[in-house]
């Protein structure tokens, strides 16, 4: 039997024994909170689970590292709403405490208490069953300062991170872009760098330098550029009376602050005006034109994007076709077939009659083969005489 299963069986056996005896069963922990190390500005989550009959109540208490500090109960919304406590009471009790934006004052001993005694919260009576307790120590370490730089030279981008305070042991580094690991090493230096081939506009985004320490320390390097706007399709086609959809996007960092559409580069298009509907979110914008018209809607549409580093634009050409446009290729084929059939018919009618074939006069002259046979026969007769 696994250790976790054995730990679960003990409180279960106590619970069964208590039920058989007809008394309040002893409360026991199924899962206890674990001690953790965190950096300032990080968050921490502690988990506690208890069993008993009746189902026990769970409380969270805290004792700081100051010499004269004593345990104080925590509640949901404490510490300027940085503390969140969630609890469920079903077949057994479960509770989670989450503390956001940690400070050095959050270091200390956190205690999960559980009890199912009816008098557990009575102000004057002492509970018959004492609160059981499980503790976890949370160490909040001051976050080191990391200076970051981006240097562009000779068609390359050099990203660097430098940890100015090195009181934590470093066993290596990683460079990441999103979920992708770009580089890893086992160097213990507080300075780490990564080289990218290409222009800033081609590699904008958020990069992370990860220091392999306990706890892990991360620095953020941003490659920021103005919007590099791309049209989803440079040329769009739509049928008269249908809805036309034009799309532009910008994969650059930071995200676009505002999108503006223009018709033929001059007439600004406002959302909801006339037959136009615009929808923009982050790095993508969409223009819908209702009931397309050949005369009014054909032309170039400009999508302009702006962020804190500049602006950019792209052009989408819209062509509106008649509803009968799809029939023109078919009608062209039919016309070609009719012309070809007419030409063949006229040619057949005007063609001159052919000459009489030679085999019509075949009886007027002997065949060459027959004449040869008669000649051979006469020669044989003379020789016989």
């Amino acid at each position: 039997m696994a250790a976790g299963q054995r730990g679960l069986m003990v409180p279960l056996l106590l619970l069964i024994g208590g039920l058989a005896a007809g008394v309040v069963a002893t409360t026991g922990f199924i899962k206890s909170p674990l001690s953790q190390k965190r950096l300032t500005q990080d968050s921490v989550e502690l988990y506690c689970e208890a069993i008993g009959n009746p189902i026990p109540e769970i409380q969270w208490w805290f004792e700081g590292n100051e010499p004269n500090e004593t345990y104080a109960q925590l509640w949901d919304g404490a510490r300027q709403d940085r503390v969140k406590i969630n609890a469920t009471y079903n077949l057994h009790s479960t509770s989670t405490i989450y503390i956001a934006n940690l400070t050095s004052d959050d270091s200390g001993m956190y205690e999960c208490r559980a009890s199912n005694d009816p008098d557990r919260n009575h102000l004057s009576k002492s509970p018959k069953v004492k609160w059981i307790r499980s503790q976890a120590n949370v160490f909040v370490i001051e976050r080191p300062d990391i200076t970051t730089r981006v240097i562009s030279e000779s068609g390359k981008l050099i990203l660097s991170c430098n940890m100015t305070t090195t009181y934590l042991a470093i066993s290596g580094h990683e460079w990441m872009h999103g979920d992708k690991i770009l580089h890893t090493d086992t160097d213990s230096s507080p300075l780490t760098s990564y080289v990218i081939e290409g222009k800033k506009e081609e590699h904008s985004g958020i990069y992370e330098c990860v220091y392999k320490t306990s706890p892990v320390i991360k620095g953020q390097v941003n490659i920021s550029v103005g919007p590099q706007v791309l049209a989803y399709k440079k040329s769009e086609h739509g049928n008269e009376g249908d809805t036309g959809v034009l799309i532009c996007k910008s994969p650059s960092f930071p995200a676009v602050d505002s999108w503006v559409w223009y018709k033929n580069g001059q007439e600004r298009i406002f959302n909801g005006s006339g037959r136009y509907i615009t929808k923009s979110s982050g790095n993508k914008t969409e223009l819908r034109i209702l009931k397309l018209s050949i005369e009014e809607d054909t032309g170039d549409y400009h999508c302009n994007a702006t962020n804190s580093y500049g602006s950019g634009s792209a052009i989408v050409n819209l062509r509106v076709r008649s509803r009968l446009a799809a029939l023109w290729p078919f009608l062209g084929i039919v016309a070609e077939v009719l012309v070809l059939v007419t030409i063949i018919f006229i040619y057949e009618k005007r063609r001159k009659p052919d000459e009489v074939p030679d085999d019509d006069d075949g009886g007027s002259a002997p065949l060459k083969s027959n004449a040869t046979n008669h000649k051979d026969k006469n020669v044989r007769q003379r020789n016989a005489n």
Side-chain angles (χ1 to χ4, degrees):
M1 183 180 295
Q5 292 176 324
R6 288 197 299 269
L8 179 60
M9 286 301 296
V10 173
L12 285 175
L13 291 174
L14 292 173
L15 177 60
I16 294 172
L19 290 173
V23 298
V24 175
T26 304
T27 299
F29 286 114
I30 300 175
K31 290 185 179 180
S32 299
L34 300 175
S35 297
Q36 301 181 41
K37 287 183 180 180
R38 288 291 185 269
L39 295 172
T40 52
Q41 303 173 22
D42 282 350
S43 61
V44 68
E45 187 175 69
L46 302 175
Y47 184 81
C48 187
E49 192 169 345
I51 191 169
N53 184 23
I55 297 173
E57 177 191 359
I58 292 180
Q59 295 179 357
W60 288 96
W61 292 70
F62 170 76
E63 182 183 41
N65 294 328
E66 296 296 329
N68 298 326
E69 192 166 357
T70 59
Y71 275 100
Q73 186 177 355
L74 296 173
W75 66 92
D76 187 46
R79 298 179 185 174
Q80 298 180 344
D81 207 31
R82 292 189 296 113
V83 175
K84 302 294 181 183
I85 298 177
N86 294 317
T88 59
Y89 299 96
N90 196 353
L91 297 177
H92 55 273
S93 306
T94 61
S95 183
T96 302
I97 183 170
Y98 174 86
I99 307 171
N101 196 21
L102 291 170
T103 68
S104 57
D105 294 335
D106 295 319
S107 292
M109 188 69 70
Y110 289 80
E111 191 172 85
C112 173
R113 298 182 181 181
S115 175
N116 59 0
D117 191 289
D119 297 328
R120 59 186 178 272
N121 293 318
H122 202 282
L123 297 178
S124 59
K125 293 182 180 180
S126 297
K128 298 181 180 68
V129 180
K130 294 183 178 181
W131 289 83
I132 61 172
R133 306 178 182 188
S134 181
Q135 298 174 333
N137 211 336
V138 174
F139 302 92
V140 181
I141 303 170
E142 193 69 29
R143 178 180 293 275
D145 291 330
I146 299 177
T147 58
T148 62
R149 294 181 66 188
V150 179
I151 301 175
S152 179
E153 60 178 29
S154 303
K156 297 180 181 180
L157 296 172
I158 303 174
L159 283 59
S160 64
C161 289
N162 186 22
M163 188 187 299
T164 56
T165 52
T166 58
Y167 52 82
L168 295 174
I170 302 171
S171 60
H173 313 89
E174 283 184 350
W175 280 90
M176 300 186 67
H177 182 43
D179 295 330
K180 184 179 179 181
I181 298 177
L182 305 174
H183 173 76
T184 184
D185 62 48
T186 56
D187 190 1
S188 60
S189 171
L191 176 63
T192 178
S193 60
Y194 178 70
V195 179
I196 301 175
E197 299 282 347
K199 301 178 180 178
K200 291 180 64 174
E201 291 76 14
E202 300 170 351
H203 300 282
S204 66
I206 300 175
Y207 294 79
E208 284 186 324
C209 54
V210 182
Y211 288 86
K212 297 178 182 179
T213 56
S214 180
V216 171
I217 300 173
K218 297 181 179 180
Q220 182 173 301
V221 183
N222 297 337
I223 300 180
S224 304
V225 297
Q228 308 298 301
V229 183
L230 302 172
Y232 183 71
K233 290 183 180 179
K234 293 183 178 180
S235 180
E236 288 281 2
H237 299 80
N239 293 326
E240 190 176 21
D242 290 347
T243 298
V245 181
L246 312 181
I247 299 175
C248 288
K249 58 183 179 179
S250 171
S252 307
F253 176 85
V256 175
D257 295 326
S258 65
W259 287 95
V260 178
W261 283 89
Y262 293 92
K263 182 179 179 182
N264 295 324
Q266 298 178 351
E267 179 185 349
R268 180 172 178 176
I269 297 174
F270 294 92
N271 183 32
S273 63
R275 294 176 289 110
Y276 300 117
I277 299 175
T278 61
K279 182 181 179 182
S280 303
S281 58
N283 284 350
K284 181 180 178 181
T285 183
E286 179 180 286
L287 170 64
R288 289 179 176 267
I289 307 174
L290 308 178
K291 297 180 181 179
L292 287 173
S293 169
I294 297 177
E295 295 80 10
E296 298 180 16
D297 299 323
T298 300
D300 291 334
Y301 292 80
H302 297 241
C303 50
N304 286 20
T306 304
N307 66 11
S308 55
Y309 286 84
S311 61
S313 65
I315 300 175
V316 184
N317 179 259
L318 175 62
R319 299 179 182 179
V320 183
R321 300 171 297 193
S322 170
R323 285 192 171 275
L324 299 178
L327 295 176
W328 291 124
F330 173 75
L331 295 176
I333 295 173
V334 172
E336 290 179 359
V337 171
L338 291 177
V339 171
L340 183 60
V341 171
T342 302
I343 292 173
I344 294 174
F345 179 76
I346 294 173
Y347 176 77
E348 290 291 338
K349 282 290 186 180
R350 294 185 176 182
R351 191 179 65 167
K352 294 180 179 180
D354 293 339
E355 296 180 357
V356 179
D358 293 340
D359 54 359
D360 292 343
D361 300 332
S364 61
L367 294 174
K368 184 177 180 180
S369 59
N370 291 338
T372 304
N373 291 338
H374 288 302
K375 182 178 180 181
D376 293 342
K377 184 178 180 181
N378 293 333
V379 172
R380 286 196 297 270
Q381 288 176 353
R382 292 192 193 99
N383 292 337
N385 295 331

